[in-house]
Amino acid sequence: MLVYDENDLTVVRHDTDSSSRIDLGAAMRIVTGTISHETNVLSNIATDLEEFRNNRILYGDELFEAFDGTKTPAGGIIDGCKAHGFELIPTLFAAAVPSGTITAEAFDTLLTGILDGVRSASNIDAVVLHLHGAGVSELYPDIEGKILEDIRQLVGDIPLVTTLDFHVNFTDRMFDNADLLIGYDTYPHIDGYERGVEAVNLTARMLDGSLKPTKAMRQPPMLPALQAQFTGRYPMTKVLEEAHRMEAMPGVETITVAAGFPWSDIPEAGMSFVVTTNDNQQLADALADTLHDMVWNLRRDFLVNPTPVGEALRHVKAAEQTPIVLADIGDNPGAGGPEDGTMILEAILQEQLEGGVIAVIWDPGVVTQAVDAGDGQTVDIRLGGHTDDLHGAPLHVTARVKTLSDGTFTNEGPMGTGAQTDMGPTAVLEIGGNDVIVTSKRYQPLDLQLYKSLGIDLASKRFIVVKSSVHFRAAHEPIAAEIIELDAPGLSSPRLTGFGFKNIRRPIFPLDIEMLGITELKTLEQD
Ligand SMILES: [Zn+2]
């Protein structure tokens, strides 16, 4: 078993060195665009245009202002183009925080934005997109397939390449229409920039004729929970190591291990692999088969076992080494959780546990109340629990307004280093001896600037509750005395059998637990 090294989060699998510049004579013209959404079809937060505007919609050159110099996929595409002397033509960049199904109108408007941009950019040589891979709209269960198909129809036979999230659910429509599909290697996602650079490097090799992509896709019948997808821990470490070993073989260009996103609830949701070779279909097929079989044989190691909330809180009470990070993995906004769940906070108050930070609870109404009352004042609030009844009821409590902020900061990394975060007006409320961060926008706590920008000193804290499944680890592992994943109910809970998914292909493990095999089932029963 491999041991996770918190100091070595960075996985860079390819030569992303700009010295590999390819001289193609005339400057190539590359079009880019983004529609990025991870859709949790069970969320009742509608994903309309307003939801995208709330996060980010950029037109044309606004892309450079937002992402030039940042360690993001868009930043990587920008730098990759600079390195090769390519002209980059941005169309539209739209991203929303994970939420419910995208409305037909919103997707149509955004897709039209990209297609119009592609049409008006004359004499283009290639298209390099940044997509997520788990977007579902009212009309299209696979928005990325639709985007790639429509662009392919417009541009014809030129390189069409996209980067993708680690949570991509690959589909035939995506596979058939793109030349290269390049997903992140990391969860927490800290290699988006490298994948952007890689996408441009491989595009350059297609343009100079030295790369003729041949690719193979495999989808084992596996639907791993988010905790099992963490790439800093076995079994994912083992799978990624094998993929990287294969990528070093002659003729292999790029391999994506995609852990998939269950809550898209489409037939293709779950784990998949795309192996891309240079003009060698046989090799691509053979390697994809090997990865498929390897993961299937490891399937029992993908089962997860989070800690009961009460047990974790008692442990915190007795612990000497602090701060302890408690991951509320059931209410992760990065997977479509509402982030206004109150169950963990309620349990903390009942346990009379003090000296903690809650990051964060989404409640714009309570922020307004705090702003109206002012710094240092006391407010009577009904906090959270507004979105659904899966994550706890509104908490009726008295709170002291400790800090007010506009909720913006620049990420210090390692995720999205240099990019701007905007949580909207934000308040730190003191409730039962704990600092509760209440925001106006949903934000997954993945950067320590969250606390620094609000004057919260984590070193003096007993515990930190983060509403996050895995991403929090990138920034929090170095400062945490210990990390405990809470067995909390909710929309991003690892208990996948309870969601009643309708469209995911069956049988699939672990929804159909009997696929474990008779011997393993007996062992589990004994546990
Ligand atoms: Zn992701």
Side-chain angles (χ1 to χ4, degrees):
M1 186 174 137
L2 289 157
V3 178
Y4 176 55
D5 176 3
E6 69 189 24
N7 297 314
D8 188 23
L9 269 167
T10 310
V11 181
V12 181
R13 66 185 176 194
H14 284 299
D15 174 23
T16 50
D17 183 352
S18 55
S19 63
S20 59
R21 174 182 171 140
I22 292 173
D23 193 358
L24 290 154
M28 296 283 128
R29 287 165 57 79
I30 313 293
V31 170
T32 190
T34 291
I35 301 174
S36 178
H37 190 246
E38 186 175 82
T39 306
N40 184 323
V41 299
L42 302 179
S43 161
N44 58 10
I45 300 173
T47 308
D48 51 14
L49 267 184
E50 195 51 38
E51 211 31 46
F52 278 94
R53 274 192 213 106
N54 232 333
N55 190 286
R56 203 170 250 155
I57 301 184
L58 306 169
Y59 296 94
D61 288 351
E62 287 173 353
L63 182 89
F64 297 114
E65 286 158 41
F67 291 113
D68 196 1
T70 64
K71 293 293 179 195
T72 58
I77 292 172
I78 292 169
D79 279 359
C81 284
K82 279 184 195 166
H84 290 286
F86 295 167
E87 184 185 349
L88 184 64
I89 304 155
T91 55
L92 173 116
F93 178 103
V97 176
S99 45
T101 304
I102 305 167
T103 64
E105 187 207 6
F107 181 62
D108 186 57
T109 305
L110 299 175
L111 178 60
T112 303
I114 289 194
L115 296 179
D116 285 351
V118 173
R119 266 187 216 102
S120 62
S122 52
N123 300 320
I124 61 175
D125 297 289
V127 178
V128 180
L129 306 172
H130 162 51
L131 303 175
H132 183 286
V136 179
S137 82
E138 287 170 330
L139 292 181
Y140 303 102
D142 158 31
I143 64 163
E144 294 80 11
K146 171 71 176 162
I147 296 165
L148 289 163
E149 187 176 270
D150 283 10
I151 292 180
R152 175 60 80 197
Q153 274 171 16
L154 275 182
V155 301
D157 192 21
I158 63 171
L160 173 51
V161 175
T162 186
T163 64
L164 293 149
D165 193 89
F166 185 71
H167 293 109
V168 48
N169 296 316
F170 279 115
T171 66
D172 287 341
R173 208 176 193 186
M174 294 161 68
F175 186 81
D176 293 342
N177 284 288
D179 293 297
L180 295 165
L181 297 159
I182 303 169
Y184 306 159
D185 283 356
T186 55
Y187 182 31
H189 309 327
I190 52 168
D191 67 330
Y193 174 84
E194 283 79 4
R195 300 290 73 80
V197 173
E198 180 186 10
V200 179
N201 284 347
L202 292 182
T203 301
R205 291 195 36 228
M206 283 187 71
L207 288 170
D208 82 351
S210 64
L211 170 58
K212 291 187 174 53
T214 33
K215 56 193 195 304
M217 176 169 77
R218 295 292 182 276
Q219 294 182 308
M222 285 182 58
L223 189 73
L226 297 179
Q227 273 60 53
Q229 301 180 1
F230 173 32
T231 54
R233 177 164 70 191
Y234 175 85
M236 283 310 288
T237 41
K238 189 175 165 102
V239 182
L240 266 304
E241 262 198 4
E242 180 61 10
H244 291 147
R245 191 188 65 78
M246 289 173 170
E247 280 182 326
M249 293 165 62
V252 181
E253 295 299 330
T254 184
I255 296 179
T256 294
V257 172
F261 187 66
W263 296 274
S264 298
D265 194 16
I266 63 170
E268 298 87 348
M271 200 164 216
S272 35
F273 308 102
V274 172
V275 176
T276 305
T277 53
N278 190 359
D279 203 13
N280 191 341
Q281 187 63 48
Q282 219 181 349
L283 180 61
D285 281 315
L287 297 182
D289 282 339
T290 303
L291 285 171
H292 173 285
D293 294 349
M294 174 188 181
V295 161
W296 179 244
N297 289 328
L298 292 174
R299 64 193 179 283
R300 70 167 326 205
D301 297 338
F302 281 86
L303 294 172
V304 294
N305 193 16
T307 307
V309 177
E311 186 184 320
L313 298 188
R314 285 190 294 277
H315 177 78
V316 170
K317 243 182 179 170
E320 284 177 11
Q321 301 285 329
T322 59
I324 294 175
V325 173
L326 302 171
D328 180 359
I329 59 178
D331 186 20
N332 168 16
E339 207 181 23
D340 69 351
T342 54
M343 276 179 177
I344 307 300
L345 178 56
E346 190 176 13
I348 286 166
L349 296 177
Q350 267 172 11
E351 196 71 31
Q352 294 183 321
L353 206 53
E354 297 186 1
V357 181
I358 314 296
V360 311
I361 291 184
W362 173 56
D363 195 328
V366 163
V367 175
T368 304
Q369 238 184 306
V371 170
D372 289 349
D375 256 334
Q377 299 304 304
T378 299
V379 283
D380 199 24
I381 55 173
R382 287 172 62 78
L383 179 66
H386 304 303
T387 308
D388 58 38
D389 52 13
L390 297 172
H391 305 82
L395 264 189
H396 193 166
V397 288
T398 302
R400 191 177 70 86
V401 182
K402 211 170 164 183
T403 311
L404 294 170
S405 152
D406 69 356
T408 62
F409 56 83
T410 304
N411 291 351
E412 66 176 47
M415 284 183 68
T417 311
Q420 276 290 114
T421 289
D422 177 6
M423 307 183 291
T426 294
V428 182
L429 303 180
E430 192 183 319
I431 302 175
N434 299 292
D435 288 346
V436 180
I437 304 170
V438 187
T439 60
S440 301
K441 295 183 181 184
R442 291 160 68 235
Y443 164 72
Q444 181 175 188
L446 47 78
D447 196 286
L448 297 186
Q449 280 299 324
L450 163 67
Y451 312 101
K452 293 176 189 168
S453 70
L454 297 169
I456 295 172
D457 173 24
L458 293 183
S460 67
K461 297 298 180 184
R462 174 169 284 274
F463 64 94
I464 309 156
V465 175
V466 288
K467 286 182 182 282
S468 174
S469 301
V470 173
H471 279 335
F472 74 90
R473 288 178 178 275
H476 292 77
E477 282 205 353
I479 58 105
E482 207 178 327
I483 289 175
I484 304 175
E485 294 169 340
L486 301 177
D487 190 3
L491 269 185
S492 53
S493 151
R495 298 188 178 278
L496 298 178
T497 45
F499 289 108
F501 294 120
K502 291 190 185 75
N503 305 311
I504 295 175
R505 65 186 182 281
R506 305 296 286 265
I508 197 164
F509 180 80
L511 297 189
D512 301 291
I513 193 83
E514 65 275 12
M515 295 173 80
L516 201 54
I518 299 301
T519 325
E520 288 101 331
L521 267 180
K522 282 206 177 119
T523 317
L524 266 191
E525 276 161 17
Q526 283 160 8
D527 292 347

